[in-house]
Amino acid sequence: MNLAKFVASQSRAVMVSIFLLCAIGLYVAWQLPTAIFPQTDFPRVVIVVDDNVTPAPQMLVSVTRPIEEAMNGIPGIVRIKSTTARGSADINLFFDWSADVNESLQLVQARLSQLSSTLPPTTSIRQVNRLTFAVFPVVGYSLVSDKRDTSALRDIATYTIKPRLARLNGVATVNVAGGNVREYHITIDPEKLSARSLSIQQVSDAVKNSNVLASPGLIEENHQLELTLVSGQATKPDELNNIVIANVNNVPILISDVATVSEGVEPNYTIVTADGHLAVLLNVLRQPDANTVNVTDEVKAELTDIEKTLPNDIKIAPFYDQSILVRASMNSVRDAIIIGLLLSVLILYAFLRNVGTTFVAILVIPVTILVFVLDYIAPPGTSLQETDRILRDVEEKLKDTPEVESYSRRTGLQLGLSITEPNTGDFLVKLKSERSRSTRKLRTICANKSNLQNRLYKSNSSEFYRI
């Protein structure tokens, strides 16, 4: 019995088998994780270290080189590459492809833990991550306001929005970029300090030792054991003013006797804008095995609820959404399957006539690029303020371009893991889905309108993702 006779005689069984296979295929396809790139474990670990404003040569000797030497003996490592700048360093560890990258990451973290006591006390390990596609954000939102400063926006982003987004299923972390961090400034009067025979170190130690939260012990009362807490944390300028520095001739010397306390912000070496306003950005990173579309949908729904509780002057807008590219790719595959099915039917019944060629030419719709990035580098040594002044003109040209839906700009920052100088950064431009000009043409127009090529030391424009 040949195959044709078997199929003819067992047509119902064959149809049921085909139906079951199709059902299984649809179920498996529905369960597959969706992301712009497949899950890939690169044999690479990135270490990013901060040390305030330490000069690059000193940073190289005291931080970068000791870390490189400590990492050199880890099994499976084949190359170490580092970049050192003022106050920052990133060390890239490349392992053999046969190495277990998760085990290698644990070895790197263990070595760093052992090394931490020998590094300068001001050094902090910002992050230690293995390199995957999940280290880049899947969705980004900007916070702007016409009434509030960026300090207030950062507080809202850090203490109100970030915790609610971080607890969502599939979200790995939420990074906050831009804005100022509030703090109190103590301005010491040298003459008053000298007149009382005190030193700056004594003032520093007094503030550090008094601004603590500690427990003196436990109290057992009414058959209950209660923990007692004593708080010396200062939350107001008056509380800082009343801190005792020392006793001179049995007279307590207060902070207010030798200094003035005022509200201020931490030194900021970056500038972040969105749609022409100083902004705070929220970058949402997914877990390595999470579904990009589901994560972005949950983030959108949560932000819709959060926005109802925020003041009316605060505006939350997306500047980047990776799910748009994923959905466009999925729709393109779906269209290709439907078109292929229809063409197969036409070929069977039309005996390979020219109808199919015409049908393909009409129905096949290419996926267009909706996001692109403009990287920029100002001349070496250019200050943050001068770089910002140049790029303000670029922002005006972007706002005048009708095809641009929104954009964000980072100066002294970038989307990746690498450290960034104050004269470098990037624009992330989100285009409208319906537009008359191509992405490449719009990118060239944006650069030419502002004379960007002539005003910056180097310009490297690249499409962020290409389908």
Side-chain angles (χ1 to χ4, degrees), residues 89-107:
D90 68 69
I91 298 96
N92 291 265
L93 310 177
F94 297 86
F95 293 86
D96 188 85
W97 279 95
S98 60
D100 186 338
V101 68
N102 292 314
E103 181 180 346
S104 299
L105 177 61
Q106 294 176 356
L107 292 175

Side-chain angles (χ1 to χ4, degrees), residues 147-312:
K147 297 181 179 180
R148 303 172 193 270
D149 58 17
T150 56
S151 299
L153 291 177
R154 187 177 179 92
D155 289 343
I156 292 173
T158 303
Y159 302 113
T160 302
I161 301 178
K162 179 180 178 178
R164 293 184 59 174
L165 296 183
R167 69 186 184 189
L168 296 177
N169 186 32
V171 173
T173 184
V174 180
N175 295 330
V176 179
N180 294 312
V181 179
R182 300 178 188 273
E183 64 180 15
Y184 290 115
H185 292 170
I186 299 177
T187 306
I188 299 175
D189 188 327
E191 295 182 357
K192 293 181 179 180
L193 194 69
S194 177
R196 291 166 174 79
S197 300
L198 298 175
S199 65
I200 295 179
Q201 187 62 43
Q202 286 179 283
V203 177
S204 177
D205 292 341
V207 175
K208 180 180 179 180
N209 295 332
S210 300
N211 196 34
V212 296
L213 179 66
S215 172
L218 302 172
I219 298 177
E220 186 175 354
E221 185 179 8
N222 297 327
H223 307 289
Q224 291 183 340
L225 188 65
E226 298 178 351
L227 175 68
T228 59
L229 295 175
V230 177
S231 176
Q233 291 181 323
T235 59
K236 301 176 182 179
D238 291 341
E239 295 175 354
L240 284 172
N241 281 322
N242 293 328
I243 291 177
V244 177
I245 303 173
N247 288 309
V248 178
N249 298 326
N250 294 326
V251 177
I253 306 300
L254 307 179
I255 293 290
S256 58
D257 295 330
V258 297
T260 57
V261 180
S262 60
E263 294 184 1
V265 296
E266 287 184 358
N268 194 354
Y269 305 103
T270 64
I271 295 177
V272 173
T273 66
D275 299 329
H277 301 275
L278 289 174
V280 172
L281 304 183
L282 287 163
N283 296 314
V284 181
L285 281 68
R286 66 177 177 88
Q287 296 174 1
D289 57 347
N291 189 308
T292 298
V293 175
N294 291 345
V295 170
T296 54
D297 287 343
E298 290 186 14
V299 169
K300 290 177 185 177
E302 188 69 20
L303 282 175
T304 301
D305 295 336
I306 294 174
E307 201 166 7
K308 297 176 182 177
T309 65
L310 298 179
N312 295 331

